[in-house]
Amino acid sequence: MGEHQSKMEIMIQNTFKMDVYAFSFVVLMVFTVIEVAAVFLGEDMSLYTVWAILIGVGIIKAYFIAAWFMHLQTDPRTYFWTSMFPFIFVALMMWGIGLSNPNAVSSLPAWCTPNYDIIGIMP
Amino acid sequence: MSSTASVDNNIWMKAVMYAGVIAVIGLVSYGALAVGAGGYFHHEYEENKEMYEEAKANGEDYSEFKEDKEAAHLQYLNFKVGGTAILYMCIVYAAFLGVGGFINSTQPNEEHHDDHDDHHEHHGSFSPIIFALGVMLFLMGFPEFVDTVTPLINGEGGGASGALLSTIGLVVIVAAVGNWWREDLPFNGEGEQIATSWPFEGQDVRKVGLWVFIMSEIMVFASFFSSYLRMRTEWCTDWAIRAEMGECADVALGTVVTASDLLRYDLGKLMPGAINTFALIISSYTIVLALKTAKSKYTEDNPFKAPKLLPFLKDKKSAVRFYLLATFLLGSMFIVLKLIEWSHLIHEGFTIQSPQGSIFYIATGAHGLHVFVGLLVMLYMIFKADTIEFDEDNGQGIEYFGLYWHFVDLAWVAIFPAFYLY
């Protein structure tokens, strides 16, 4: 927990008359309502609109939790870079596995599928 | 207070007493919910089922009976699964507190390892290897564990022998973590070890360790997401069919049903997941309040003031204990609602045997497991808050636990829209 108030904390305190944690809590609650309501009420929305809402709201919520509740905004920068490090692998997994050719699972080479007879002795 | 080096054995006996109270709460909840209310709705379900079958056999309009039958069955699942889940959770809570308290109370006071100081040398420990062995056993037995637990979640009962290997794994995990904990974490929370090497020099070792742990957890959840994304882009869901995406234009609606297809447009079904989302956010805030209160210095000039909404909080001790207890109850509610929601999905035929079910239950189950592990740690912290108290010197324990709890919340921020709404 940071010992000194950052500029943003002071700004939030002065503008909204609440500390940054209470403000983050309100933001998280409001955006969760928006998230649920948008999908529940917008049954006819296109897939891309839904993606945009869910990803946008997710980023905002993730920022407030990580920056303020987890103190990444006020803790030494080493912690921020520590938390960012695994995202190299996250990006690789999302791009290299998650968004690669969707048919790749069914078109795997035989040696990469279960029960492959690697030494040729299976009946 | 936390400044005392040793912890009296009477304090540990208090843990045993609390364990008894928790066990009684579990039994009463099971009796009232699963046996009482569950039994009532099961009886109602049987009656409606009889009328439905009679009307169907006579060629009469049976739609109303069918709806009543379904509604009664869902109510039965709510109470049966809810009551059973509370009982099992209370048994684990009671065992955790009771066994831990009893073992500690039987040790001489000077052997509680509460005399750590900043100059304590690092030491080797077999606990991480034993922990890894436990994880291996748990995962080896996991398929049978799932087959055994599924009927239990579905309210059908059945034996538990298939869960033996995984249960042994869990016991080994608990023993390893318990030993690791005993070796390194003083009960009074003092004697923080400080990192001496780049890039963390000057930082608390526990905090650094927790961040490294969170790094590995990010990758675990990323693997769930990448596999879900891979499968999801291949599935012709109703949404993909309507959007005429790729090869899905000619596929019939309803060919691939995901959990979100069953949940997102029915408020009753979406409700447990939505309530859980709010519960986790509120619990994240209550843990922040617990930390803030514990770290605050109250003096005669700056006395403790209870928040307007919580006038019953008398002092720092009662406030920290209340905030931790609120977090604990919200987390416990999360698990109960998740299991109720699972029982509804399984009742609708959405089981772990399908690819959609497999990734849904594994991802949300892994998250639920993280919540449950957090609840056990929180139980220990509530006990500490109630006995030796948290203050500005040992309040960092709440901060480190909070980091884990916020990460669990963060993971849910991604899981909820991906698996429930999209």
Side-chain angles (χ1 to χ4, degrees):
Chain A
M1 202 174 187
E3 296 297 323
H4 304 290
Q5 283 197 315
S6 67
K7 281 180 188 169
M8 196 180 285
E9 281 179 278
I10 295 165
M11 190 266 287
I12 288 170
Q13 177 89 48
N14 292 338
T15 313
F16 298 98
K17 305 294 175 212
M18 60 174 87
D19 69 19
V20 72
Y21 303 111
F23 180 74
S24 301
F25 172 65
V26 172
V27 168
L28 289 168
M29 295 294 272
V30 168
F31 274 93
T32 303
V33 171
I34 292 171
E35 186 179 42
V36 176
V39 175
F40 184 71
L41 301 175
E43 199 169 337
D44 298 325
M45 270 192 299
S46 77
L47 195 58
Y48 301 105
T49 314
V50 173
W51 279 353
I53 292 171
L54 296 184
I55 292 171
V57 169
I59 289 171
I60 293 167
K61 286 170 69 177
Y63 167 76
F64 275 92
I65 292 172
W68 298 110
F69 284 179
M70 296 175 91
H71 318 303
L72 284 179
Q73 189 81 29
T74 48
D75 272 350
R77 298 307 279 171
T78 317
Y79 290 114
F80 172 77
W81 292 114
T82 304
S83 69
M84 285 295 111
F85 179 68
F87 281 93
I88 299 168
F89 301 96
V90 172
L92 276 175
M93 279 196 274
M94 290 299 172
W95 172 71
I97 299 173
L99 295 175
S100 61
N101 174 16
N103 296 321
V105 172
S106 44
S107 59
L108 284 170
W111 53 266
C112 204
T113 54
N115 303 322
Y116 176 67
D117 184 10
I118 196 163
I119 50 174
I121 56 165
M122 297 285 277
Chain B
M1 277 298 287
S2 58
S3 58
T4 52
S6 65
V7 179
D8 198 283
N9 283 345
N10 289 335
I11 288 182
W12 294 111
M13 284 313 291
K14 209 173 175 182
V16 179
M17 192 186 75
Y18 285 169
V21 173
I22 291 171
V24 170
I25 290 171
L27 283 171
V28 170
S29 302
Y30 179 76
L33 297 174
V35 179
Y40 169 78
F41 283 108
H42 189 64
H43 179 70
E44 199 164 282
Y45 164 70
E46 292 289 343
E47 274 184 357
N48 285 316
K49 190 179 166 192
E50 210 170 284
M51 286 192 281
Y52 160 74
E53 281 168 359
E54 206 176 295
K56 199 176 174 185
N58 295 336
E60 296 165 9
D61 180 19
Y62 56 79
S63 56
E64 196 181 324
F65 297 124
K66 193 180 175 188
E67 275 178 25
D68 290 346
K69 176 177 76 94
E70 281 300 305
H73 189 69
L74 288 179
Q75 289 285 19
Y76 161 68
L77 285 176
N78 287 345
F79 288 104
K80 174 81 179 173
V81 175
T84 310
I86 292 172
L87 175 67
Y88 285 155
M89 284 164 70
C90 284
I91 288 172
V92 178
Y93 295 157
F96 177 73
L97 261 188
V99 174
F102 180 73
I103 290 172
N104 274 296
S105 70
T106 55
Q107 289 182 7
N109 279 339
E110 63 271 21
E111 289 183 16
H112 288 306
H113 302 278
D114 292 321
D115 52 351
H116 294 215
D117 57 42
D118 291 349
H119 307 293
H120 201 77
E121 281 184 30
H122 288 272
H123 60 86
S125 171
F126 282 108
S127 298
I129 296 169
I130 297 168
F131 177 83
L133 178 75
V135 173
M136 187 185 80
L137 291 175
F138 176 77
L139 292 177
M140 277 170 66
F142 190 68
E144 275 197 77
F145 180 80
V146 169
D147 286 343
T148 309
V149 171
T150 303
L152 290 174
I153 292 172
N154 206 17
E156 292 166 3
S161 58
L164 187 65
L165 193 58
S166 281
T167 307
I168 292 171
L170 282 175
V171 171
V172 173
I173 289 170
V174 170
V177 171
N179 191 49
W180 204 351
W181 198 334
R182 189 188 63 83
E183 287 172 339
D184 279 326
L185 294 182
F187 183 62
N188 61 16
E190 291 177 350
E192 195 69 54
Q193 293 181 350
I194 305 294
T196 53
S197 313
W198 183 87
F200 294 108
E201 65 264 47
Q203 301 296 319
D204 291 350
V205 165
R206 280 199 288 166
K207 186 170 183 174
V208 173
L210 204 79
W211 269 110
V212 173
F213 172 70
I214 288 174
M215 273 169 66
S216 68
E217 290 288 80
I218 290 171
M219 289 192 247
V220 168
F221 280 97
S223 67
F224 294 141
F225 272 94
S226 60
S227 50
Y228 175 62
L229 208 55
R230 158 60 75 93
M231 288 194 272
R232 184 74 200 234
T233 48
E234 194 178 4
W235 293 334
C236 284
T237 60
D238 288 1
W239 237 337
I241 294 166
R242 288 198 191 99
E244 298 183 347
M245 291 177 75
E247 296 166 2
C248 296
D250 301 327
V251 178
L253 288 169
T255 305
V256 175
V257 178
T258 62
S260 54
D261 289 332
L262 297 169
L263 296 168
R264 76 176 156 250
Y265 297 134
D266 186 330
L267 193 59
K269 288 177 185 166
L270 184 61
M271 200 51 88
I275 292 173
N276 274 348
T277 306
F278 290 112
L280 274 191
I281 292 170
I282 297 168
S283 72
S284 264
Y285 186 52
T286 49
I287 201 89
V288 166
L289 291 176
L291 173 63
K292 204 176 149 189
T293 310
K295 286 277 188 183
S296 296
K297 286 178 185 169
Y298 297 110
T299 57
E300 282 184 13
D301 301 330
N302 175 34
F304 172 82
K305 283 178 196 158
K308 282 177 190 167
L309 290 173
L310 307 165
F312 52 87
L313 299 179
K314 298 188 297 274
D315 50 20
K316 181 193 251 193
K317 180 182 177 178
S318 65
V320 173
R321 189 178 51 198
F322 172 80
Y323 291 134
L324 289 174
L325 191 63
T327 314
F328 176 78
L329 292 176
L330 287 163
S332 298
M333 187 182 80
F334 180 94
I335 300 286
V336 172
L337 285 179
K338 184 182 279 288
L339 291 174
I340 287 174
E341 173 194 273
W342 279 12
S343 74
H344 289 189
L345 287 170
I346 292 168
H347 173 65
E348 290 201 35
F350 187 78
T351 64
I352 198 167
Q353 273 75 25
S354 67
Q356 302 93 300
S358 171
I359 188 66
F360 173 80
Y361 289 112
I362 294 293
T364 58
H367 179 267
L369 191 64
H370 280 76
V371 172
F372 191 65
V373 170
L375 290 173
L376 290 179
V377 179
M378 196 141 27
L379 198 58
Y380 172 76
M381 293 179 63
I382 294 168
F383 177 66
K384 274 178 83 166
D386 190 48
T387 51
I388 63 164
E389 301 179 32
F390 283 106
D391 55 29
E392 51 270 36
D393 294 325
N394 67 356
Q396 73 273 20
I398 301 177
E399 181 183 352
Y400 304 154
F401 172 75
L403 282 175
Y404 172 80
W405 195 252
H406 298 314
F407 169 74
V408 169
D409 190 11
L410 199 55
W412 189 250
V413 163
I415 288 174
F416 179 63
F419 288 92
Y420 287 71
L421 299 179
Y422 163 50

